[in-house]
Amino acid sequence: MSLNPRLTAALCVALSLCALLAVPGNFPGLGGDARVTLAVFALATCAWIGTPIDDTYIALGAGLALTVTGVISSDTLFGTLGDSTVWLLICAFVLAAAVARTGLAGRAATFLVGGARTVRQLTHLTTAALVVTAFAVPATSGRAALALPVFLALAKALADRRRLVVMLALLFPTVILLSAVATLIGAGAHLITVSVLWEAAGERVGFTEWLLLGLPLAVASSHLAAEVVLFTTTRRADREGPVHITAEEIQRHSDRPVTGPWTQAEKRCALLLATVVALWCSEPLHRVPPAVVALIGAIVAASPALGTVRLKDALKTVPWSLLLFMAATMAMGVALGASGAAQWLVGGLPEGVTPVMFLAVVVAVSTAAHLVLQSRSARSSVLVPLVVAAAVGAGVNPVAAALASTAAAGFCHTLPASAKPVTLFADIPGTPTYTPRDLLRLSAVLAPLTAALVLLFAVAVWPLLGVPVTR
């Protein structure tokens, strides 16, 4: 039986690194715990890259290996499951289940998209609606599933204009992925980044701080991407014709009313969601942690009297595999820092690198990382601990470096398998959608633009918002 060439290459690299680390004379100054940590990290990374084994299984195995060898304690490994960011994500999914049950998403889509009269208006109103969903539904795959019925309704209404349907099919996952940076709960990678910043650099980034830094970038990158998608998939004749999407066309693909009087459940759910988001945004005023606010919201959303979803049904929507993956990779990040492995890895950086040059390299590597590591959380697990350690050594603000890396890693549009939303919209029975060639054409233009935009924010915008480039 022949091995997959990618798997063979990954195994060769991992085993070669482990063999080098096992020789005491190699790499003087590298302690025993650091050697074990690097070996485990190398094996886990190569397994993520070159094997079809589940990412969570690999991360749990790596965390267990670090615990058994004494690099980290069992309390450290299991304690990551009790981290406030994990609870924040659990409760956010309960809230999202309550929102999905009421059908508020359909009403919002009808309100926004129904006002479009031109192709460009439709494109940017759809983009704005997708950006807003980052506050209601955590994780990009959940937002893609929620948005799919809306896309099907738009595709049905524009069935005689095939290029516009393909454009919208590409627009939905593109904006969903790029707008995730708007909020802390937008992707599991964000929670990993926050955890690494706290453990490795003692820097706390809360919901409000992330919102202040991420939302402007999400809006700018999403609408920039909308223009790129529009011009790479349509012709001038396609963009000139008028459009008109009616509420009836959206209703055909929704099992909940999208017009008419609001039900009591919809009113309660909308009020609850608005209250939770307002409390998250005003954390500096009341000092209640976002996870506690989310827990209160989840309890109300699932309560017998006021809720719109049963707790056991809502908990079924929680991606427990993702949470375990996050917990295990948090433990791996702790091991990298505590063992001195991260500091040793970045100790050989050349001197004289300017902060802007450093950030440019971080953004470029993070943007391209999706070609090797398809999991967004895995990319942050590998890159952020190294970026934070390198930033400290280079005199760069670790918060700016970590956020730039995480934001740049949100670009993953090159291949249909690069991200779940891209995969979901790539194959829709009975509906024309994009091809791998369309993705490559989009990526060739969008990748350098989004990378440049992230660098611009890190260098020129975030310093105005309280995150300087240097420490």
Side-chain angles (χ1 to χ4, degrees), residues 435-450:
T435 64
R437 185 176 179 180
D438 294 324
L439 285 174
L440 290 174
R441 184 168 56 245
L442 172 67
S443 294
V445 179
L446 190 57
L449 287 178
T450 54

Side-chain angles (χ1 to χ4, degrees), residues 128-171:
L130 291 171
V131 172
V132 171
T133 62
F135 295 91
V137 182
T140 53
S141 55
R143 292 168 61 203
L146 185 68
L148 184 58
V150 178
F151 164 72
L152 291 175
L154 296 177
K156 188 71 173 179
L158 299 169
D160 58 334
R161 303 171 72 176
R162 188 180 185 280
R163 288 186 182 274
L164 291 189
V165 176
V166 173
M167 182 274 291
L168 288 172
L170 196 52
L171 178 70

Side-chain angles (χ1 to χ4, degrees), residues 46-71:
C46 290
W48 281 328
I49 294 172
T51 72
I53 301 173
D54 184 78
D55 291 341
T56 302
Y57 186 86
I58 295 169
L60 289 174
L64 179 60
L66 292 170
T67 304
V68 170
T69 54
V71 177

Side-chain angles (χ1 to χ4, degrees), residues 448-466:
L449 287 178
T450 54
L453 186 63
V454 171
L455 183 61
L456 175 65
F457 267 74
V459 173
V461 179
W462 289 344
L464 301 177
L465 301 175

Side-chain angles (χ1 to χ4, degrees), residues 197-223:
L197 276 172
W198 174 245
E199 295 288 348
E203 298 281 358
R204 177 78 73 181
V205 178
F207 188 94
T208 307
E209 291 83 0
W210 191 290
L211 181 68
L212 180 65
L213 300 169
L215 181 58
L217 175 59
V219 172
S221 61
S222 296
H223 285 281

Side-chain angles (χ1 to χ4, degrees), residues 120-445:
R120 178 164 276 105
Q121 283 182 355
L122 175 64
T123 301
H124 286 281
L125 286 174
T126 301
T127 299
L130 291 171
V131 172
V132 171
T133 62
F135 295 91
V137 182
T140 53
S141 55
R143 292 168 61 203
L146 185 68
L148 184 58
V150 178
F151 164 72
L152 291 175
L154 296 177
K156 188 71 173 179
L158 299 169
D160 58 334
R161 303 171 72 176
R162 188 180 185 280
R163 288 186 182 274
L164 291 189
V165 176
V166 173
M167 182 274 291
L168 288 172
L170 196 52
L171 178 70
F172 271 72
T174 298
V175 174
I176 286 170
L177 290 167
L178 293 179
S179 63
V181 74
T183 72
L184 182 58
I185 61 172
H190 302 170
L191 304 179
I192 293 172
T193 298
V194 168
S195 175
V196 171
L197 276 172
W198 174 245
E199 295 288 348
E203 298 281 358
R204 177 78 73 181
V205 178
F207 188 94
T208 307
E209 291 83 0
W210 191 290
L211 181 68
L212 180 65
L213 300 169
L215 181 58
L217 175 59
V219 172
S221 61
S222 296
H223 285 281
L224 173 65
E227 285 293 325
V228 174
V229 170
L230 190 60
F231 278 96
T232 57
T233 56
T234 62
R235 299 170 181 169
R236 176 174 293 182
D238 301 318
R239 298 189 291 270
E240 287 178 348
V243 297
H244 181 58
I245 311 297
T246 65
E248 290 74 17
E249 289 166 327
I250 296 178
Q251 181 67 74
R252 294 193 194 105
H253 294 270
S254 175
D255 57 353
R256 305 282 178 178
V258 298
T259 57
W262 285 35
T263 65
Q264 289 299 318
E266 288 174 326
K267 292 178 181 177
R268 291 197 304 269
C269 190
L271 178 61
L272 174 61
L273 182 62
T275 302
V276 168
V277 173
L279 289 174
W280 278 339
C281 296
S282 58
E283 179 193 354
L285 299 177
H286 53 70
R287 298 294 179 184
V288 179
V292 175
V293 172
L295 181 57
I296 295 171
I299 289 175
V300 174
S303 64
L306 300 175
T308 59
V309 64
R310 293 190 302 174
L311 183 60
K312 68 176 184 179
D313 293 333
L315 291 176
K316 291 178 182 177
T317 68
V318 177
W320 297 105
S321 178
L322 172 62
L323 296 177
L324 289 173
F325 178 87
M326 286 173 47
T329 51
M330 285 177 190
M332 291 172 64
V334 171
L336 273 175
S339 67
Q343 290 77 5
W344 179 85
L345 279 174
V346 300
L349 288 176
E351 296 183 2
V353 176
T354 64
V356 175
M357 188 184 302
F358 177 86
L359 288 173
V361 172
V362 167
V363 169
V365 171
S366 301
T367 301
H370 73 283
L371 298 174
V372 179
L373 282 168
Q374 294 180 344
S375 167
R376 190 173 188 163
S377 297
R379 291 198 293 277
S380 289
S381 301
V382 172
L383 292 173
V384 174
L386 302 180
V387 166
V388 170
V392 173
V396 176
N397 185 351
V399 175
L403 289 178
S405 174
T406 305
F411 178 86
C412 37
H413 304 66
T414 306
L415 302 171
S418 293
K420 291 178 182 176
V422 180
T423 304
L424 178 63
F425 280 86
D427 184 17
I428 303 175
T431 302
T433 184
Y434 47 84
T435 64
R437 185 176 179 180
D438 294 324
L439 285 174
L440 290 174
R441 184 168 56 245
L442 172 67
S443 294
V445 179

